[in-house]
Amino acid sequence: MDKVELMIDGKRIDGRTADQLRPISIVANPIRNAAGSAYIEWGANKIFAAVYGPKEALPKHTSDPEKAVIKCRYTMAPFSSVEEHGKPGMNRRAIEISKVTAEVFENVILLNKFPGSEIDIYIEVMQSDGGTRAAGITCAAVALAASGIPMRDLPYAVSAGKVGDTVILDLNKIEDNYSDADVPVAICPRKKEVSLLQMDGNLTKDEFDTALNMIINSGSYISQLQIDALKKPYEKIEERYL
Ligand code: ADP
């Protein structure tokens, strides 16, 4: 791949500084027929998440008599990217993202409250511009909270990476494609636990520490957006009772 100039005079191609997030907005419960749902715009990413259940786990052999099972399906709409999608249906990347996303939520949902049941999480990418697994997890966390399923924490996720010697936060698609490293991380903010960490490319230990610090420092802002989205539908109700 030809090299693309990703940093010019200390600024990124979209004008951001190294540790600056893209604009993010989140709406809770846009989908009427889900138990809980959310919509996120994160830069040019546009993603829906919808949660169904807890309900009886079917087929039966997928159920666990001790706890709920999480079934997650991440998909990209055929029109979501400039790239060819190839065959329709789940590709290897979508299967991988679905798996790691399910694992993030298995860590926070109180699974033993729902033995024998399943909780379905659907993440539908309508428009993609890099970092969709992170944005999808951030969005699905809001959908799960909106459904009332009890969780220990409200995870968020964001990527960091490296361009030349500069560590950057929240890579967009061009940065993702041409950067020297890409590290999507999901955090459970209450205990600052890492529940997803993938790495494409190489970082030195110091660069990794810088990347993780950027991810953790961006957390209070992203978490607040999630909480605000969850509170918003109730604001009008509160006003009515004042
Ligand atoms: P993420 O979206 O989490 O950054 P990747 O690093 O795998 O995941 O992909 C980066 C970006 O490349 C995606 O957001 C998407 O815009 C594009 N992309 C990756 N895989 C595909 C695909 N199979 N079809 C279309 N676009 C893709």
Short mmCIF file of all heavy atoms in Angstrom, two decimals, residues 22 45 47 74 76-78 80-86 91 93-94 96-97 125 127-135 159 171-174 176-177 182 184 198 200, ligand 1:
data_model
loop_
_atom_site.label_atom_id
_atom_site.label_comp_id
_atom_site.label_asym_id
_atom_site.label_seq_id
_atom_site.Cartn_x
_atom_site.Cartn_y
_atom_site.Cartn_z
N ARG A 22 -13.41 11.99 17.70
CA ARG A 22 -14.35 12.54 16.71
C ARG A 22 -15.64 12.94 17.44
O ARG A 22 -15.88 12.47 18.56
CB ARG A 22 -14.67 11.48 15.64
CG ARG A 22 -13.49 11.20 14.73
CD ARG A 22 -13.77 10.03 13.81
NE ARG A 22 -13.63 8.74 14.49
CZ ARG A 22 -13.83 7.56 13.92
NH1 ARG A 22 -14.20 7.50 12.66
NH2 ARG A 22 -13.66 6.44 14.59
N ASN A 45 -19.32 7.23 11.41
CA ASN A 45 -19.98 5.94 11.69
C ASN A 45 -21.43 6.18 12.10
O ASN A 45 -21.70 7.10 12.89
CB ASN A 45 -19.28 5.21 12.84
CG ASN A 45 -17.89 4.73 12.48
OD1 ASN A 45 -17.69 4.14 11.43
ND2 ASN A 45 -16.92 5.00 13.35
N ILE A 47 -24.49 3.74 13.59
CA ILE A 47 -24.69 2.36 14.05
C ILE A 47 -25.91 2.25 14.95
O ILE A 47 -26.10 3.08 15.85
CB ILE A 47 -23.43 1.88 14.83
CG1 ILE A 47 -22.18 2.01 13.95
CG2 ILE A 47 -23.60 0.45 15.33
CD1 ILE A 47 -20.87 1.76 14.66
N TYR A 74 -22.87 -8.83 14.95
CA TYR A 74 -22.42 -7.55 14.36
C TYR A 74 -22.48 -7.70 12.86
O TYR A 74 -21.94 -8.67 12.31
CB TYR A 74 -20.98 -7.28 14.82
CG TYR A 74 -20.20 -6.27 13.99
CD1 TYR A 74 -19.98 -4.98 14.46
CD2 TYR A 74 -19.67 -6.61 12.75
CE1 TYR A 74 -19.25 -4.06 13.72
CE2 TYR A 74 -18.95 -5.70 11.99
CZ TYR A 74 -18.75 -4.43 12.48
OH TYR A 74 -18.03 -3.52 11.74
N MET A 76 -22.45 -5.39 8.92
CA MET A 76 -22.34 -4.13 8.20
C MET A 76 -23.34 -4.16 7.04
O MET A 76 -23.38 -5.13 6.28
CB MET A 76 -20.94 -3.96 7.62
CG MET A 76 -19.87 -3.77 8.66
SD MET A 76 -18.23 -3.70 7.90
CE MET A 76 -18.18 -1.99 7.44
N ALA A 77 -24.12 -3.10 6.92
CA ALA A 77 -25.05 -3.02 5.79
C ALA A 77 -24.25 -2.99 4.49
O ALA A 77 -23.13 -2.47 4.46
CB ALA A 77 -25.91 -1.76 5.92
N PRO A 78 -24.81 -3.56 3.40
CA PRO A 78 -24.06 -3.63 2.14
C PRO A 78 -23.63 -2.25 1.63
O PRO A 78 -22.67 -2.13 0.89
CB PRO A 78 -25.04 -4.27 1.16
CG PRO A 78 -26.09 -4.89 2.01
CD PRO A 78 -26.13 -4.18 3.32
N SER A 80 -22.69 0.26 3.62
CA SER A 80 -22.09 1.01 4.73
C SER A 80 -20.66 1.46 4.47
O SER A 80 -20.12 2.27 5.20
CB SER A 80 -22.10 0.15 6.00
OG SER A 80 -21.26 -0.97 5.81
N SER A 81 -20.03 0.90 3.44
CA SER A 81 -18.62 1.19 3.25
C SER A 81 -18.33 1.41 1.78
O SER A 81 -19.07 0.93 0.92
CB SER A 81 -17.81 -0.01 3.77
OG SER A 81 -16.48 0.09 3.36
N VAL A 82 -17.23 2.13 1.49
CA VAL A 82 -16.84 2.31 0.09
C VAL A 82 -16.27 1.01 -0.49
O VAL A 82 -16.21 0.85 -1.70
CB VAL A 82 -15.79 3.43 -0.08
CG1 VAL A 82 -16.43 4.78 0.03
CG2 VAL A 82 -14.65 3.29 0.92
N GLU A 83 -15.89 0.10 0.40
CA GLU A 83 -15.27 -1.13 -0.07
C GLU A 83 -16.30 -2.18 -0.47
O GLU A 83 -17.44 -2.15 -0.03
CB GLU A 83 -14.40 -1.72 1.04
CG GLU A 83 -13.01 -1.15 1.03
CD GLU A 83 -12.47 -0.95 2.43
OE1 GLU A 83 -12.83 -1.73 3.32
OE2 GLU A 83 -11.72 0.01 2.61
N GLU A 84 -15.84 -3.11 -1.31
CA GLU A 84 -16.66 -4.25 -1.68
C GLU A 84 -16.89 -5.13 -0.45
O GLU A 84 -15.97 -5.39 0.31
CB GLU A 84 -15.92 -5.09 -2.73
CG GLU A 84 -16.20 -4.69 -4.15
CD GLU A 84 -17.63 -4.93 -4.57
OE1 GLU A 84 -18.28 -5.81 -3.97
OE2 GLU A 84 -18.09 -4.23 -5.48
N HIS A 85 -18.09 -5.59 -0.25
CA HIS A 85 -18.35 -6.46 0.89
C HIS A 85 -18.20 -7.93 0.56
O HIS A 85 -18.25 -8.76 1.44
CB HIS A 85 -19.77 -6.22 1.43
CG HIS A 85 -19.80 -5.11 2.39
ND1 HIS A 85 -20.04 -5.29 3.71
CD2 HIS A 85 -19.56 -3.80 2.21
CE1 HIS A 85 -19.97 -4.12 4.32
NE2 HIS A 85 -19.68 -3.21 3.43
N GLY A 86 -18.05 -8.25 -0.72
CA GLY A 86 -17.95 -9.66 -1.09
C GLY A 86 -19.28 -10.36 -0.86
O GLY A 86 -20.33 -9.76 -1.04
N ASN A 91 -19.04 -12.45 7.42
CA ASN A 91 -17.69 -12.85 7.03
C ASN A 91 -16.86 -13.11 8.29
O ASN A 91 -17.35 -12.96 9.40
CB ASN A 91 -17.05 -11.81 6.11
CG ASN A 91 -17.04 -10.44 6.76
OD1 ASN A 91 -17.11 -10.32 7.98
ND2 ASN A 91 -16.95 -9.40 5.96
N ARG A 93 -14.50 -11.45 9.65
CA ARG A 93 -14.34 -10.27 10.50
C ARG A 93 -15.59 -10.04 11.36
O ARG A 93 -15.50 -9.77 12.55
CB ARG A 93 -14.06 -9.06 9.61
CG ARG A 93 -14.03 -7.74 10.34
CD ARG A 93 -13.64 -6.61 9.39
NE ARG A 93 -13.86 -5.32 10.01
CZ ARG A 93 -15.02 -4.69 10.01
NH1 ARG A 93 -16.08 -5.24 9.42
NH2 ARG A 93 -15.14 -3.53 10.61
N ALA A 94 -16.78 -10.18 10.73
CA ALA A 94 -18.03 -9.95 11.47
C ALA A 94 -18.20 -11.01 12.58
O ALA A 94 -18.67 -10.69 13.67
CB ALA A 94 -19.21 -9.99 10.51
N GLU A 96 -15.76 -12.51 14.15
CA GLU A 96 -14.79 -12.16 15.20
C GLU A 96 -15.32 -11.00 16.05
O GLU A 96 -15.29 -11.05 17.29
CB GLU A 96 -13.46 -11.77 14.54
CG GLU A 96 -12.44 -11.20 15.49
CD GLU A 96 -11.64 -10.08 14.84
OE1 GLU A 96 -11.27 -10.20 13.66
OE2 GLU A 96 -11.39 -9.07 15.52
N ILE A 97 -15.81 -9.96 15.40
CA ILE A 97 -16.29 -8.78 16.16
C ILE A 97 -17.49 -9.17 17.02
O ILE A 97 -17.60 -8.75 18.17
CB ILE A 97 -16.60 -7.61 15.20
CG1 ILE A 97 -15.31 -7.15 14.51
CG2 ILE A 97 -17.27 -6.45 15.95
CD1 ILE A 97 -15.47 -6.04 13.49
N VAL A 125 -24.25 -1.87 11.43
CA VAL A 125 -23.49 -0.70 10.97
C VAL A 125 -24.13 -0.19 9.67
O VAL A 125 -24.13 -0.89 8.66
CB VAL A 125 -22.01 -1.07 10.75
CG1 VAL A 125 -21.22 0.13 10.25
CG2 VAL A 125 -21.40 -1.65 12.01
N GLN A 127 -23.34 2.97 8.38
CA GLN A 127 -22.27 3.69 7.67
C GLN A 127 -21.00 3.50 8.49
O GLN A 127 -21.04 3.62 9.71
CB GLN A 127 -22.64 5.17 7.57
CG GLN A 127 -21.67 5.98 6.74
CD GLN A 127 -22.24 7.36 6.41
OE1 GLN A 127 -23.12 7.48 5.56
NE2 GLN A 127 -21.75 8.37 7.08
N SER A 128 -19.91 3.15 7.80
CA SER A 128 -18.70 2.84 8.57
C SER A 128 -17.56 3.76 8.18
O SER A 128 -17.40 4.12 7.01
CB SER A 128 -18.30 1.38 8.35
OG SER A 128 -17.77 1.22 7.06
N ASP A 129 -16.78 4.15 9.18
CA ASP A 129 -15.62 4.99 8.91
C ASP A 129 -14.51 4.70 9.92
O ASP A 129 -13.90 5.62 10.46
CB ASP A 129 -16.03 6.47 8.97
CG ASP A 129 -14.90 7.36 8.47
OD1 ASP A 129 -14.17 6.95 7.55
OD2 ASP A 129 -14.71 8.45 9.04
N GLY A 130 -14.27 3.41 10.18
CA GLY A 130 -13.20 3.04 11.11
C GLY A 130 -13.66 3.09 12.55
O GLY A 130 -14.40 3.98 12.95
N GLY A 131 -13.25 2.09 13.32
CA GLY A 131 -13.61 2.07 14.73
C GLY A 131 -15.03 1.61 14.98
O GLY A 131 -15.62 1.92 16.01
N THR A 132 -15.60 0.82 14.06
CA THR A 132 -17.00 0.43 14.25
C THR A 132 -17.18 -0.57 15.38
O THR A 132 -18.23 -0.60 16.01
CB THR A 132 -17.61 -0.16 12.96
OG1 THR A 132 -16.86 -1.30 12.58
CG2 THR A 132 -17.65 0.85 11.85
N ARG A 133 -16.14 -1.40 15.65
CA ARG A 133 -16.32 -2.36 16.76
C ARG A 133 -16.38 -1.59 18.08
O ARG A 133 -17.18 -1.93 18.95
CB ARG A 133 -15.26 -3.45 16.74
CG ARG A 133 -13.91 -3.06 17.28
CD ARG A 133 -12.87 -4.13 17.00
NE ARG A 133 -12.60 -4.21 15.57
CZ ARG A 133 -12.10 -5.27 14.97
NH1 ARG A 133 -11.82 -6.35 15.66
NH2 ARG A 133 -11.87 -5.26 13.68
N ALA A 134 -15.56 -0.55 18.21
CA ALA A 134 -15.57 0.25 19.44
C ALA A 134 -16.89 1.02 19.56
O ALA A 134 -17.55 1.00 20.61
CB ALA A 134 -14.39 1.20 19.45
N ALA A 135 -17.29 1.65 18.48
CA ALA A 135 -18.55 2.42 18.51
C ALA A 135 -19.73 1.49 18.75
O ALA A 135 -20.68 1.83 19.47
CB ALA A 135 -18.72 3.20 17.21
N SER A 159 -10.65 3.15 20.07
CA SER A 159 -9.36 2.66 19.56
C SER A 159 -8.28 3.71 19.74
O SER A 159 -8.56 4.91 19.71
CB SER A 159 -9.44 2.39 18.06
OG SER A 159 -10.18 1.26 17.81
N LEU A 171 -9.03 6.30 15.76
CA LEU A 171 -8.64 6.32 14.35
C LEU A 171 -9.85 6.32 13.43
O LEU A 171 -10.79 5.53 13.63
CB LEU A 171 -7.79 5.08 14.03
CG LEU A 171 -6.35 5.07 14.49
CD1 LEU A 171 -6.23 5.06 16.01
CD2 LEU A 171 -5.63 3.84 13.92
N ASN A 172 -9.83 7.19 12.43
CA ASN A 172 -10.87 7.10 11.40
C ASN A 172 -10.41 6.08 10.35
O ASN A 172 -9.34 5.47 10.49
CB ASN A 172 -11.20 8.48 10.81
CG ASN A 172 -10.03 9.08 10.05
OD1 ASN A 172 -9.18 8.35 9.54
ND2 ASN A 172 -9.99 10.40 9.98
N LYS A 173 -11.22 5.87 9.32
CA LYS A 173 -10.94 4.77 8.41
C LYS A 173 -9.58 4.90 7.70
O LYS A 173 -8.84 3.94 7.59
CB LYS A 173 -12.05 4.64 7.37
CG LYS A 173 -11.82 3.47 6.45
CD LYS A 173 -13.04 3.14 5.66
CE LYS A 173 -12.73 2.29 4.45
NZ LYS A 173 -11.61 1.41 4.55
N ILE A 174 -9.27 6.12 7.23
CA ILE A 174 -8.00 6.28 6.50
C ILE A 174 -6.84 6.04 7.46
O ILE A 174 -5.87 5.36 7.14
CB ILE A 174 -7.90 7.68 5.85
CG1 ILE A 174 -9.01 7.84 4.82
CG2 ILE A 174 -6.55 7.89 5.20
CD1 ILE A 174 -9.13 9.19 4.19
N ASP A 176 -6.97 4.21 10.13
CA ASP A 176 -6.99 2.78 10.41
C ASP A 176 -6.28 2.00 9.30
O ASP A 176 -5.48 1.11 9.56
CB ASP A 176 -8.46 2.34 10.53
CG ASP A 176 -8.61 0.92 11.02
OD1 ASP A 176 -8.21 0.00 10.29
OD2 ASP A 176 -9.13 0.75 12.12
N ASN A 177 -6.57 2.36 8.07
CA ASN A 177 -6.00 1.62 6.94
C ASN A 177 -4.50 1.83 6.78
O ASN A 177 -3.80 0.92 6.37
CB ASN A 177 -6.68 2.04 5.63
CG ASN A 177 -8.09 1.47 5.51
OD1 ASN A 177 -8.85 1.89 4.67
ND2 ASN A 177 -8.44 0.52 6.37
N ASP A 182 -3.15 -0.31 15.45
CA ASP A 182 -4.55 0.00 15.79
C ASP A 182 -4.92 -0.89 16.98
O ASP A 182 -4.79 -2.11 16.91
CB ASP A 182 -5.42 -0.32 14.57
CG ASP A 182 -6.90 -0.23 14.89
OD1 ASP A 182 -7.26 0.49 15.84
OD2 ASP A 182 -7.70 -0.89 14.18
N PRO A 184 -8.01 -1.43 19.45
CA PRO A 184 -9.33 -1.19 20.04
C PRO A 184 -9.39 -1.77 21.46
O PRO A 184 -8.94 -2.90 21.68
CB PRO A 184 -10.30 -1.94 19.10
CG PRO A 184 -9.46 -2.88 18.31
CD PRO A 184 -8.03 -2.50 18.43
N GLN A 198 -7.49 -5.63 21.50
CA GLN A 198 -6.97 -6.27 20.29
C GLN A 198 -5.85 -5.39 19.77
O GLN A 198 -5.81 -4.19 20.07
CB GLN A 198 -8.09 -6.40 19.25
CG GLN A 198 -9.23 -7.28 19.75
CD GLN A 198 -10.29 -7.50 18.68
OE1 GLN A 198 -11.07 -6.62 18.36
NE2 GLN A 198 -10.31 -8.70 18.13
N ASP A 200 -3.52 -4.58 16.23
CA ASP A 200 -3.12 -4.78 14.84
C ASP A 200 -1.88 -3.91 14.67
O ASP A 200 -1.96 -2.69 14.86
CB ASP A 200 -4.29 -4.29 13.96
CG ASP A 200 -4.10 -4.67 12.53
OD1 ASP A 200 -3.14 -5.38 12.23
OD2 ASP A 200 -4.94 -4.24 11.71
P1 ADP B 1 -13.21 -1.26 12.83
O1 ADP B 1 -14.44 -0.82 12.11
O2 ADP B 1 -13.49 -1.73 14.23
O3 ADP B 1 -12.08 -0.24 12.78
P2 ADP B 1 -11.52 -2.83 11.02
O4 ADP B 1 -10.24 -2.28 11.56
O5 ADP B 1 -11.62 -4.28 10.70
O6 ADP B 1 -12.71 -2.56 12.09
O7 ADP B 1 -11.96 -2.03 9.73
C1 ADP B 1 -11.75 -0.66 9.57
C2 ADP B 1 -12.74 -0.09 8.60
O8 ADP B 1 -12.54 -0.66 7.30
C3 ADP B 1 -14.22 -0.37 8.92
O9 ADP B 1 -14.78 0.54 9.83
C4 ADP B 1 -14.84 -0.27 7.54
O10 ADP B 1 -15.08 1.08 7.21
C5 ADP B 1 -13.78 -0.85 6.64
N1 ADP B 1 -14.00 -2.28 6.41
C6 ADP B 1 -13.36 -3.28 7.05
N2 ADP B 1 -13.79 -4.47 6.62
C7 ADP B 1 -14.71 -4.25 5.68
C8 ADP B 1 -15.53 -5.06 4.85
N3 ADP B 1 -15.49 -6.37 4.88
N4 ADP B 1 -16.35 -4.44 4.01
C9 ADP B 1 -16.39 -3.12 3.94
N5 ADP B 1 -15.69 -2.30 4.69
C10 ADP B 1 -14.85 -2.83 5.54
#
